[in-house]
Amino acid sequence: EHLETQHVSISPGANIHYTFPQLYFYKPNLWWPNGMGKQHLYNVEITVDVQGYGESDTWSHHFGFRKIESHIDSATGGRLFKVNGQPIFIRGGNWILSDGLLRLSKERYKTDIRFHADMNFNMMRCWGGGLAERPEFYHYCDLYGLLVWQEFWITGDCDGRGDPVSNPNGPLDHDLFLLCARDTIKLLRNHPSLALWVGGNEQVPPPDINAALKNDLQLHPYFVKSNDSDTSAIT
Amino acid sequence: MVEIGKIVLDTGWLAARSTEVEVNGVELTTTRPPTQPESPWMEAVVPGTVLGTLVKNKLVPDPFYGLENESIIDIADSGREHYTFWFFTTFDCKLSNNQHVDLNFRAINYSAEVYLNGHKEVLPKGMFRRHSIDITDILHPDGQNLLAVLVYPPDHPGRIPPQGGQGGDHEIGKDVAAQYVEGWDWMTPIRDRNTGIWDEVSITVTGPVKIVDPHLASTFFDGYKRVYLHSTIELVNKSAWVAECSLNIQVSTELEENTFLI
């Protein structure tokens, strides 16, 4: 039941989207943040074989079944999280990058992130003035159960506040910002540790960027919570 | 013939300041490649930054020791050309019939020109974007392929005020790049503004059809008893004929070491 083969014809030079029939799992092992349970990871492997050629390409990725929900609490103004339906008390650390010269080795990511897990943290927040972190960073957050709050590249100081007051209209090229945002989302979206996208640090992005990010990152209607309370939303 | 899959290009890179290299990208990747780390060429850190390469070669001190950062010239004073660098490497890749190969940069700060065996490609601006170039028709079928990348710093590296401050003069905010590089209350200014090939470089070999950016998502029902995995992929047919494809998705879990449940 966890194996599916489909046939598809692709025209010369064409670029297509293809959606597999959904795969059914009965009570899969869930992925939990650090301190709430194990970080169960499944390996998803996709291959394409071409008639007359053989195996043409292959792709694999660790995948964790988890549902992350969050909302702003009206009483406190704080953001409350649930993972797999369970409330979680967030113990978070701020993160910029592991090295100012961007020597971002797997070994260093592993050590840094495991250190955060050993400190009993369950979330790392990637600050808007730093990096969209790399897949290796997310890989170890997947392994050690660190949820990631990933911000895009807007800060209060450079984008509307600061001394002297900076330009609130963000980068000069808004289309470039959105192109980079969309590409980053595609790069990172399959990691179970990825919990929340945020426009920036201490500042709201310019209205057109903010609106586009909100639109692009909203749930596909297929996944939006329905009246059926058993139907679940995903991030 | 190479197997399908990814080959990471993270060794054997050389680098040189662009103003000290007298040949152009076409010459570098055809008739006049650098052969060893002789001046102005040096061993490069890829992935990494120009400053990382200069530190590795002991041409500047490590900026994170003591006040050593003060002795490294800032891009605002040196000009952007001081931190505009060539990066060079070679690789072998012998393809069989109907194989295709892409050259991939997972991130460059901030823009670049790529030369491969004399062919030029411009990589547009943006620190947080991937670049992928189909190089199938450019590869040398036998022997070495010569790759040179001219990397330009951010367009608006800014100037650090004498009193420092959050994000310096905020000019870096005009670009789509990391902003901490102009200095913050927790960080000294990064003199090259993190210019460089700062993430993985690779080539990927595929057959006629390539998988691009799969998307996995799950839905949950009945108190997490009934769960569905949804998978969407992009497929690119690089061939000149209709490709009849068999797509396979398989989910496995490692029960114990080397024992898998499918």
Coordinates of all heavy atoms in Angstrom, one line a residue, chain A residues 2 4-6 8-11 13-14 16 18-20 22-23 25 27 43 45 47 49 51 56-57 84-85 97 100 129 134 136 153 155 158-159 164 172 183 189-190 223 230 232 234, chain B residues 99 106 125 128 130 170 173-174 179-180 194 199 207-209 211 213-214 216 218-220 224-235 237 243-252:
Chain A
H2 N 2.1 1.1 0.2 CA 3.0 2.3 0.2 C 3.9 2.3 -1.0 O 5.0 2.8 -1.0 CB 3.9 2.3 1.5 CG 3.0 2.3 2.7 ND1 3.5 1.8 3.9 CD2 1.8 2.7 3.0 CE1 2.5 1.9 4.8 NE2 1.5 2.4 4.3
E4 N 3.4 2.8 -5.3 CA 2.5 3.1 -6.3 C 3.2 3.3 -7.6 O 4.3 4.0 -7.6 CB 1.8 4.5 -5.9 CG 0.8 5.0 -6.9 CD -0.6 4.2 -6.8 OE1 -1.0 4.0 -5.6 OE2 -1.2 3.9 -7.8
T5 N 2.7 2.8 -8.7 CA 3.4 3.0 -10.0 C 2.3 3.5 -11.0 O 1.2 3.0 -11.0 CB 3.9 1.7 -10.6 OG1 4.9 1.1 -9.6 CG2 4.6 1.9 -11.9
Q6 N 2.7 4.5 -11.7 CA 1.8 5.2 -12.7 C 2.5 5.4 -14.0 O 3.7 5.4 -14.0 CB 1.4 6.6 -12.1 CG 0.5 6.5 -10.9 CD -0.9 6.0 -11.1 OE1 -1.5 6.5 -12.0 NE2 -1.3 5.1 -10.3
V8 N 2.8 7.7 -17.5 CA 2.5 9.0 -18.1 C 3.3 9.3 -19.3 O 4.5 8.8 -19.4 CB 2.7 10.1 -17.0 CG1 4.2 10.2 -16.7 CG2 2.2 11.5 -17.4
S9 N 2.7 9.9 -20.3 CA 3.4 10.3 -21.5 C 3.8 11.8 -21.5 O 2.9 12.6 -21.1 CB 2.6 10.0 -22.7 OG 2.3 8.7 -22.9
I10 N 5.0 12.1 -21.8 CA 5.4 13.5 -21.8 C 5.9 13.9 -23.2 O 6.7 13.3 -23.8 CB 6.5 13.8 -20.7 CG1 6.1 13.2 -19.4 CG2 6.8 15.3 -20.6 CD1 7.2 13.3 -18.4
S11 N 5.3 15.0 -23.7 CA 5.7 15.5 -25.0 C 7.2 15.9 -25.0 O 7.7 16.3 -24.0 CB 4.8 16.7 -25.4 OG 3.5 16.3 -25.4
G13 N 10.3 18.0 -24.9 CA 10.6 19.3 -24.4 C 9.6 19.8 -23.3 O 9.8 21.0 -22.9
A14 N 8.6 19.0 -23.0 CA 7.6 19.5 -22.1 C 8.0 19.5 -20.7 O 8.8 18.7 -20.2 CB 6.3 18.7 -22.3
I16 N 5.9 19.2 -17.1 CA 4.5 18.9 -16.6 C 4.6 18.8 -15.1 O 5.6 18.5 -14.5 CB 3.9 17.7 -17.2 CG1 4.7 16.4 -16.7 CG2 3.9 17.7 -18.7 CD1 3.9 15.1 -16.9
Y18 N 2.8 16.5 -12.1 CA 2.1 15.2 -12.0 C 1.8 15.0 -10.5 O 2.7 15.1 -9.7 CB 2.9 14.1 -12.6 CG 2.1 12.8 -12.4 CD1 1.1 12.4 -13.3 CD2 2.4 11.9 -11.3 CE1 0.4 11.3 -13.1 CE2 1.7 10.8 -11.2 CZ 0.7 10.4 -12.0 OH -0.1 9.3 -11.8
T19 N 0.6 14.7 -10.1 CA 0.2 14.3 -8.8 C -0.1 12.8 -8.7 O -1.0 12.3 -9.4 CB -1.0 15.1 -8.3 OG1 -0.6 16.5 -8.3 CG2 -1.3 14.8 -6.9
F20 N 0.6 12.1 -7.8 CA 0.3 10.7 -7.6 C -1.0 10.5 -6.9 O -1.4 11.4 -6.1 CB 1.4 10.1 -6.7 CG 2.7 9.8 -7.4 CD1 3.8 10.7 -7.3 CD2 2.9 8.6 -8.0 CE1 5.0 10.4 -7.9 CE2 4.1 8.3 -8.7 CZ 5.1 9.2 -8.6
Q22 N -3.1 9.5 -3.9 CA -2.7 9.6 -2.5 C -2.4 8.2 -2.0 O -3.0 7.2 -2.3 CB -3.7 10.3 -1.6 CG -5.1 9.6 -1.6 CD -6.2 10.4 -1.0 OE1 -6.1 11.6 -1.0 NE2 -7.3 9.8 -0.6
L23 N -1.4 8.1 -1.1 CA -1.0 6.9 -0.5 C -1.6 6.8 0.9 O -1.5 7.8 1.7 CB 0.5 6.8 -0.4 CG 1.3 6.6 -1.7 CD1 2.8 6.6 -1.3 CD2 0.9 5.3 -2.4
F25 N -2.0 5.4 4.7 CA -1.3 4.8 5.9 C -2.2 4.7 7.0 O -3.0 5.6 7.3 CB -0.1 5.8 6.3 CG 1.0 5.9 5.3 CD1 0.9 6.7 4.2 CD2 2.2 5.2 5.5 CE1 1.9 6.8 3.2 CE2 3.2 5.3 4.6 CZ 3.1 6.1 3.4
K27 N -2.3 4.5 10.9 CA -1.6 4.8 12.1 C 0.0 4.8 11.9 O 0.7 4.1 12.5 CB -1.9 3.8 13.2 CG -3.3 3.9 13.8 CD -3.7 2.9 14.8 CE -3.0 3.1 16.1 NZ -3.6 2.1 17.1
N43 N 11.3 7.2 4.5 CA 12.1 7.5 3.3 C 11.2 7.4 2.1 O 10.6 6.4 1.8 CB 13.3 6.7 3.2 CG 14.2 7.2 2.1 OD1 14.5 8.4 2.0 ND2 14.6 6.3 1.2
E45 N 10.9 7.6 -1.8 CA 11.7 7.6 -3.0 C 10.8 7.6 -4.2 O 9.9 6.8 -4.3 CB 12.6 6.3 -3.0 CG 13.6 6.2 -4.1 CD 14.5 5.0 -4.0 OE1 14.7 4.5 -2.8 OE2 15.1 4.6 -5.0
T47 N 11.0 7.5 -8.4 CA 11.8 7.2 -9.6 C 11.0 7.3 -10.9 O 9.8 7.2 -10.9 CB 12.4 5.8 -9.6 OG1 11.4 4.8 -9.5 CG2 13.4 5.6 -8.4
D49 N 11.1 5.9 -14.8 CA 11.7 5.0 -15.8 C 11.1 5.4 -17.2 O 9.9 5.6 -17.3 CB 11.5 3.5 -15.5 CG 12.2 3.0 -14.3 OD1 13.4 2.7 -14.5 OD2 11.6 3.0 -13.2
Q51 N 10.5 4.3 -21.1 CA 10.5 3.2 -22.0 C 11.6 3.3 -23.0 O 11.8 4.3 -23.7 CB 9.2 3.2 -22.7 CG 8.8 1.9 -23.4 CD 7.4 1.9 -24.0 OE1 7.2 2.6 -25.0 NE2 6.5 1.2 -23.3
S56 N 15.6 6.9 -15.4 CA 16.0 8.2 -15.9 C 16.4 9.2 -14.8 O 17.2 10.0 -15.0 CB 14.8 8.8 -16.8 OG 15.2 10.0 -17.3
D57 N 15.7 9.1 -13.7 CA 16.0 10.0 -12.6 C 15.4 9.4 -11.3 O 14.4 8.6 -11.3 CB 15.4 11.4 -12.8 CG 16.2 12.5 -12.0 OD1 17.1 12.1 -11.3 OD2 15.8 13.6 -12.0
N84 N 0.6 17.7 16.2 CA -0.3 16.5 16.2 C -1.4 16.6 17.2 O -1.7 15.6 17.9 CB 0.6 15.3 16.5 CG 1.7 15.1 15.4 OD1 1.6 15.5 14.3 ND2 2.9 14.5 15.8
G85 N -2.0 17.8 17.2 CA -3.1 18.0 18.1 C -2.8 18.3 19.6 O -3.7 18.6 20.3
L97 N 23.2 32.0 11.8 CA 23.9 31.1 10.9 C 25.0 30.5 11.8 O 25.3 31.0 12.9 CB 24.4 31.9 9.7 CG 25.6 32.9 9.9 CD1 26.0 33.4 8.5 CD2 25.2 34.0 10.7
G100 N 30.1 33.0 10.2 CA 30.0 34.3 9.5 C 30.7 34.3 8.1 O 30.5 35.2 7.3
G129 N 17.2 38.8 9.3 CA 18.4 39.5 8.8 C 19.5 38.5 8.4 O 20.6 38.9 8.0
R134 N 19.9 26.2 5.1 CA 20.2 25.2 4.1 C 19.5 23.9 4.4 O 19.2 23.6 5.5 CB 21.7 25.0 4.0 CG 22.4 26.3 3.7 CD 22.1 26.9 2.3 NE 21.0 27.8 2.3 CZ 20.3 28.2 1.2 NH1 20.7 27.7 0.0 NH2 19.3 29.0 1.3
E136 N 20.8 21.0 4.8 CA 21.5 20.3 5.8 C 21.1 20.7 7.2 O 21.0 19.9 8.1 CB 23.0 20.5 5.6 CG 23.6 19.8 4.4 CD 23.3 20.5 3.1 OE1 22.9 21.7 3.2 OE2 23.5 19.9 2.0
W153 N 13.7 37.8 4.4 CA 14.8 38.7 4.5 C 14.4 40.2 4.7 O 14.8 41.1 4.0 CB 15.7 38.5 3.3 CG 15.8 37.0 3.0 CD1 16.5 36.1 3.7 CD2 15.1 36.3 2.0 NE1 16.3 34.8 3.2 CE2 15.4 35.0 2.1 CE3 14.2 36.7 0.9 CZ2 14.9 34.0 1.2 CZ3 13.7 35.8 0.1 CH2 14.1 34.4 0.3
T155 N 14.1 43.2 7.9 CA 14.3 43.5 9.3 C 13.7 44.9 9.6 O 13.5 45.7 8.7 CB 15.8 43.6 9.7 OG1 16.4 44.6 8.9 CG2 16.5 42.2 9.4
C158 N 16.5 47.7 8.8 CA 16.8 48.0 7.4 C 15.6 48.3 6.5 O 15.7 48.8 5.4 CB 17.6 46.9 6.7 SG 19.4 46.9 7.2
D159 N 14.4 48.0 7.1 CA 13.2 48.1 6.2 C 12.1 48.9 6.9 O 11.0 48.5 6.9 CB 12.7 46.7 5.9 CG 13.8 45.9 5.1 OD1 14.1 46.3 4.0 OD2 14.3 44.8 5.6
P164 N 19.3 56.3 11.3 CA 18.1 57.0 10.9 C 17.0 56.0 10.3 O 17.4 54.9 10.0 CB 18.5 58.0 9.8 CG 19.7 57.3 9.2 CD 20.4 56.6 10.3
L172 N 14.8 46.9 -3.5 CA 14.4 47.6 -4.7 C 13.6 46.8 -5.6 O 12.6 47.2 -6.3 CB 15.7 48.1 -5.5 CG 16.5 49.1 -4.7 CD1 17.7 49.5 -5.6 CD2 15.7 50.4 -4.4
D183 N 11.5 30.2 -4.5 CA 12.5 29.1 -4.7 C 12.9 28.5 -3.4 O 13.2 27.3 -3.3 CB 13.7 29.7 -5.5 CG 14.5 28.6 -6.1 OD1 14.0 27.9 -6.9 OD2 15.7 28.5 -5.8
R189 N 10.5 22.9 1.6 CA 9.1 22.6 2.1 C 8.8 21.2 2.5 O 7.8 20.9 3.2 CB 8.1 22.9 0.9 CG 8.3 22.1 -0.3 CD 7.5 22.6 -1.5 NE 7.8 21.9 -2.7 CZ 7.2 22.3 -3.9 NH1 6.4 23.3 -4.0 NH2 7.6 21.6 -5.0
N190 N 9.7 20.2 2.2 CA 9.4 18.8 2.6 C 10.0 18.4 3.9 O 9.8 17.3 4.3 CB 9.9 17.9 1.5 CG 9.2 18.1 0.2 OD1 8.0 18.2 0.2 ND2 10.0 18.1 -0.9
F223 N -6.6 21.1 1.3 CA -6.1 20.8 2.7 C -6.8 21.7 3.8 O -6.4 21.5 4.9 CB -4.6 20.9 2.7 CG -3.9 20.0 1.8 CD1 -3.3 20.4 0.7 CD2 -3.9 18.6 2.1 CE1 -2.6 19.6 -0.2 CE2 -3.2 17.7 1.2 CZ -2.6 18.2 0.1
D230 N -13.0 15.8 11.6 CA -11.9 14.8 11.5 C -11.0 15.2 10.3 O -9.9 14.6 10.2 CB -12.5 13.4 11.2 CG -13.0 12.8 12.5 OD1 -12.4 13.1 13.5 OD2 -13.9 12.0 12.4
S232 N -8.3 17.2 8.5 CA -7.2 17.9 9.1 C -6.5 18.9 8.2 O -6.4 18.6 7.0 CB -6.2 16.8 9.6 OG -5.1 17.4 10.3
I234 N -3.0 20.9 7.1 CA -1.5 20.7 7.1 C -0.8 22.0 7.0 O -1.5 23.0 6.6 CB -1.1 19.8 6.0 CG1 -1.4 20.4 4.7 CG2 -1.6 18.4 6.1 CD1 -0.6 19.9 3.5
Chain B
Q99 N 21.7 10.7 -22.2 CA 21.9 11.3 -20.9 C 22.0 12.8 -21.0 O 22.4 13.3 -22.0 CB 23.2 10.7 -20.2 CG 23.0 9.3 -19.7 CD 24.1 8.9 -18.8 OE1 25.3 9.3 -19.0 NE2 23.8 8.2 -17.7
R106 N 23.4 26.1 -5.7 CA 22.2 26.2 -4.8 C 22.1 27.6 -4.2 O 21.1 27.9 -3.6 CB 22.4 25.1 -3.7 CG 21.1 24.6 -3.2 CD 21.2 23.3 -2.5 NE 22.0 23.4 -1.3 CZ 22.2 22.4 -0.4 NH1 21.7 21.2 -0.7 NH2 23.0 22.5 0.6
K125 N 20.8 38.2 -10.2 CA 21.0 38.6 -8.8 C 20.1 37.8 -7.9 O 19.1 37.2 -8.3 CB 20.6 40.1 -8.7 CG 21.4 41.0 -9.6 CD 20.9 42.4 -9.6 CE 21.7 43.3 -10.5 NZ 21.1 44.6 -10.6
F128 N 19.3 34.2 -2.4 CA 18.6 33.0 -2.0 C 17.8 32.4 -3.2 O 16.6 32.3 -3.1 CB 17.6 33.4 -0.9 CG 18.3 34.0 0.3 CD1 18.2 35.4 0.6 CD2 19.1 33.2 1.1 CE1 18.9 35.9 1.7 CE2 19.8 33.8 2.2 CZ 19.7 35.2 2.5
R130 N 18.2 29.3 -6.4 CA 19.0 28.3 -7.1 C 19.2 28.6 -8.6 O 18.3 29.3 -9.2 CB 18.3 26.9 -6.9 CG 18.2 26.4 -5.5 CD 17.3 25.2 -5.4 NE 16.0 25.6 -5.7 CZ 15.0 24.7 -5.8 NH1 15.2 23.4 -5.7 NH2 13.7 25.0 -6.1
H170 N 22.1 50.8 6.1 CA 20.9 50.1 5.7 C 20.8 49.9 4.2 O 19.8 49.5 3.6 CB 19.6 50.9 6.1 CG 19.5 51.2 7.5 ND1 19.1 52.5 8.0 CD2 19.9 50.5 8.6 CE1 19.2 52.5 9.3 NE2 19.7 51.3 9.7
G173 N 19.7 46.7 2.5 CA 18.3 46.4 2.4 C 17.7 46.6 1.0 O 16.6 46.1 0.7
K174 N 18.5 47.2 0.2 CA 18.0 47.4 -1.2 C 18.1 46.1 -2.0 O 17.5 46.0 -3.1 CB 18.8 48.5 -1.9 CG 18.5 49.9 -1.4 CD 19.4 51.0 -2.1 CE 19.0 52.4 -1.5 NZ 19.9 53.4 -2.2
Q179 N 21.1 40.7 5.7 CA 21.3 42.0 6.1 C 22.3 42.2 7.3 O 22.8 43.3 7.5 CB 19.9 42.7 6.5 CG 19.0 42.7 5.3 CD 17.7 43.4 5.7 OE1 17.4 43.8 6.9 NE2 16.8 43.6 4.7
Y180 N 22.5 41.1 8.0 CA 23.4 41.2 9.2 C 24.8 41.6 8.8 O 25.6 42.0 9.6 CB 23.5 39.9 9.9 CG 24.4 38.8 9.3 CD1 25.7 38.7 9.8 CD2 24.0 38.0 8.3 CE1 26.6 37.8 9.2 CE2 24.8 37.1 7.7 CZ 26.1 37.0 8.2 OH 27.0 36.1 7.6
N194 N 29.7 38.8 2.6 CA 29.4 37.4 2.3 C 29.4 37.1 0.8 O 28.7 36.2 0.4 CB 28.1 36.9 3.0 CG 28.3 36.5 4.5 OD1 27.3 36.5 5.2 ND2 29.5 36.3 4.9
D199 N 26.9 28.2 -1.3 CA 26.2 26.9 -1.1 C 26.6 25.9 -2.2 O 27.3 26.3 -3.1 CB 24.7 27.1 -1.0 CG 24.0 25.9 -0.3 OD1 24.7 25.0 0.2 OD2 22.8 25.9 -0.3
G207 N 18.5 10.7 -17.2 CA 18.2 10.3 -18.6 C 17.3 11.3 -19.3 O 17.4 12.5 -19.0
P208 N 16.4 10.9 -20.2 CA 15.7 11.9 -20.9 C 14.7 12.7 -20.1 O 14.4 13.8 -20.4 CB 14.9 11.0 -21.9 CG 15.5 9.7 -21.9 CD 16.2 9.5 -20.6
V209 N 14.2 12.1 -19.0 CA 13.2 12.8 -18.1 C 13.8 13.1 -16.7 O 14.4 12.2 -16.1 CB 11.9 12.0 -18.0 CG1 11.0 12.6 -17.0 CG2 11.3 11.8 -19.4
I211 N 13.3 14.7 -12.8 CA 12.4 15.1 -11.7 C 12.8 16.4 -11.1 O 14.0 16.6 -10.8 CB 12.4 14.0 -10.6 CG1 12.0 12.6 -11.1 CG2 11.5 14.4 -9.4 CD1 12.2 11.5 -10.2
D213 N 11.8 19.3 -8.1 CA 11.0 19.9 -6.9 C 9.8 19.1 -6.5 O 8.7 19.6 -6.5 CB 10.6 21.3 -7.2 CG 11.8 22.3 -7.2 OD1 12.8 21.9 -6.6 OD2 11.7 23.3 -7.8
P214 N 9.9 17.8 -6.1 CA 8.8 17.1 -5.6 C 8.2 17.8 -4.3 O 8.9 18.5 -3.6 CB 9.4 15.8 -5.2 CG 10.6 15.6 -6.0 CD 11.1 17.0 -6.2
L216 N 5.8 17.0 -1.0 CA 5.1 16.0 -0.2 C 4.3 16.7 0.9 O 4.7 17.6 1.5 CB 6.1 15.1 0.5 CG 7.2 14.5 -0.4 CD1 8.2 13.7 0.5 CD2 6.6 13.5 -1.4
S218 N 0.8 15.8 3.9 CA 0.0 14.7 4.4 C -1.3 15.3 5.0 O -1.3 16.4 5.4 CB 0.8 13.9 5.5 OG 1.4 14.8 6.4
T219 N -2.3 14.4 5.1 CA -3.6 14.8 5.7 C -3.9 13.7 6.7 O -3.6 12.5 6.5 CB -4.7 15.0 4.7 OG1 -4.7 13.8 3.8 CG2 -4.6 16.2 3.9
F220 N -4.6 14.1 7.8 CA -4.9 13.2 8.9 C -6.4 13.1 9.2 O -7.1 14.2 9.2 CB -4.2 13.7 10.1 CG -2.7 13.9 9.9 CD1 -2.2 15.1 9.4 CD2 -1.8 12.9 10.3 CE1 -0.8 15.3 9.3 CE2 -0.4 13.1 10.1 CZ 0.0 14.2 9.6
Y224 N -5.7 10.6 13.7 CA -4.4 10.2 13.3 C -4.3 8.7 12.9 O -3.2 8.2 12.7 CB -3.3 10.6 14.3 CG -3.2 12.1 14.5 CD1 -4.0 12.7 15.4 CD2 -2.4 12.9 13.7 CE1 -4.0 14.1 15.6 CE2 -2.4 14.3 13.8 CZ -3.2 14.9 14.8 OH -3.2 16.2 14.9
K225 N -5.4 8.1 12.9 CA -5.4 6.7 12.5 C -5.3 6.5 10.9 O -4.6 5.7 10.4 CB -6.6 5.9 12.9 CG -6.7 5.7 14.4 CD -7.8 4.7 14.7 CE -8.0 4.5 16.2 NZ -8.9 5.6 16.7
R226 N -6.0 7.4 10.3 CA -6.1 7.3 8.8 C -5.3 8.5 8.2 O -5.7 9.7 8.5 CB -7.6 7.3 8.4 CG -7.8 7.1 6.9 CD -9.3 6.7 6.7 NE -10.2 7.6 7.2 CZ -10.8 8.6 6.5 NH1 -10.5 8.7 5.2 NH2 -11.7 9.4 7.1
V227 N -4.3 8.2 7.5 CA -3.4 9.3 7.1 C -3.1 9.1 5.6 O -2.9 7.9 5.1 CB -2.0 9.3 7.9 CG1 -1.1 10.3 7.3 CG2 -2.3 9.5 9.3
Y228 N -3.0 10.2 4.9 CA -2.7 10.1 3.4 C -1.5 10.9 3.1 O -1.3 12.0 3.6 CB -3.9 10.6 2.6 CG -5.1 9.7 2.7 CD1 -6.1 10.1 3.7 CD2 -5.3 8.6 2.0 CE1 -7.2 9.3 3.8 CE2 -6.4 7.8 2.1 CZ -7.4 8.1 3.0 OH -8.5 7.3 3.2
L229 N -0.7 10.4 2.2 CA 0.5 11.1 1.7 C 0.2 11.6 0.3 O -0.2 10.8 -0.6 CB 1.7 10.3 1.7 CG 3.0 10.9 1.1 CD1 3.5 12.1 1.9 CD2 4.1 9.9 1.0
H230 N 0.3 12.9 0.1 CA 0.1 13.5 -1.2 C 1.4 13.9 -1.8 O 2.2 14.6 -1.2 CB -0.9 14.7 -1.1 CG -2.1 14.4 -0.3 ND1 -3.3 14.1 -0.9 CD2 -2.3 14.4 1.0 CE1 -4.2 13.9 0.1 NE2 -3.6 14.1 1.2
S231 N 1.6 13.5 -3.1 CA 2.9 13.8 -3.7 C 2.7 14.4 -5.1 O 2.0 13.8 -5.9 CB 3.7 12.5 -3.9 OG 3.6 11.7 -2.7
T232 N 3.4 15.5 -5.3 CA 3.3 16.2 -6.6 C 4.7 16.4 -7.1 O 5.6 16.8 -6.3 CB 2.6 17.5 -6.6 OG1 1.2 17.2 -6.2 CG2 2.6 18.2 -7.9
I233 N 5.0 16.1 -8.4 CA 6.3 16.4 -8.9 C 6.2 17.1 -10.2 O 5.2 17.1 -10.9 CB 7.1 15.1 -9.2 CG1 6.3 14.1 -10.1 CG2 7.4 14.3 -7.9 CD1 7.1 12.9 -10.4
E234 N 7.3 17.8 -10.6 CA 7.5 18.3 -11.9 C 8.3 17.4 -12.7 O 9.3 16.8 -12.2 CB 8.2 19.7 -11.9 CG 7.3 20.9 -11.5 CD 8.1 22.2 -11.5 OE1 8.7 22.5 -12.5 OE2 8.1 22.8 -10.5
L235 N 8.0 17.2 -13.9 CA 8.8 16.3 -14.8 C 9.2 17.1 -16.1 O 8.3 17.8 -16.7 CB 8.0 15.1 -15.2 CG 7.7 14.1 -14.1 CD1 6.6 13.1 -14.5 CD2 9.0 13.4 -13.6
N237 N 10.8 16.7 -19.8 CA 11.3 15.8 -20.9 C 12.3 16.5 -21.7 O 12.0 17.4 -22.5 CB 10.1 15.3 -21.7 CG 10.6 14.3 -22.8 OD1 11.7 14.0 -22.9 ND2 9.6 14.0 -23.7
A243 N 8.1 10.8 -24.3 CA 8.7 9.9 -23.3 C 7.5 9.1 -22.6 O 6.7 9.8 -22.0 CB 9.5 10.7 -22.3
E244 N 7.5 7.8 -22.8 CA 6.6 7.0 -22.1 C 7.2 6.6 -20.7 O 8.2 5.9 -20.7 CB 6.3 5.7 -22.9 CG 5.6 6.0 -24.2 CD 4.3 6.6 -24.1 OE1 3.6 6.5 -23.1 OE2 3.8 7.3 -25.1
C245 N 6.6 7.2 -19.7 CA 7.3 7.1 -18.4 C 6.5 6.2 -17.4 O 5.3 6.1 -17.4 CB 7.4 8.5 -17.7 SG 8.3 9.6 -18.7
S246 N 7.3 5.5 -16.6 CA 6.7 4.7 -15.5 C 7.2 5.4 -14.2 O 8.4 5.5 -14.0 CB 7.2 3.3 -15.6 OG 6.8 2.6 -14.4
L247 N 6.2 6.0 -13.5 CA 6.6 6.7 -12.3 C 6.3 5.9 -11.1 O 5.3 5.2 -11.0 CB 5.7 8.0 -12.1 CG 5.7 9.0 -13.3 CD1 4.8 10.1 -13.0 CD2 7.1 9.5 -13.6
N248 N 7.3 5.9 -10.2 CA 7.2 5.0 -9.0 C 7.4 5.8 -7.8 O 8.4 6.6 -7.7 CB 8.2 3.9 -9.1 CG 8.1 2.9 -8.0 OD1 7.1 2.2 -7.9 ND2 9.2 2.8 -7.2
I249 N 6.5 5.6 -6.8 CA 6.8 6.2 -5.5 C 6.7 5.1 -4.4 O 5.9 4.2 -4.5 CB 5.8 7.3 -5.1 CG1 6.1 7.9 -3.7 CG2 4.3 6.9 -5.2 CD1 5.4 9.2 -3.4
Q250 N 7.7 5.1 -3.5 CA 7.8 4.0 -2.5 C 8.2 4.7 -1.2 O 9.0 5.6 -1.1 CB 8.9 3.1 -3.0 CG 9.3 2.1 -2.0 CD 10.5 1.2 -2.6 OE1 10.3 0.6 -3.6 NE2 11.6 1.2 -1.9
V251 N 7.5 4.3 -0.2 CA 7.7 4.8 1.2 C 8.2 3.7 2.0 O 7.6 2.6 2.2 CB 6.5 5.4 1.8 CG1 6.8 6.1 3.1 CG2 5.9 6.5 0.8
S252 N 9.4 3.9 2.6 CA 9.9 2.8 3.5 C 10.3 3.4 4.8 O 10.5 4.6 5.0 CB 11.2 2.2 2.8 OG 12.2 3.2 2.6

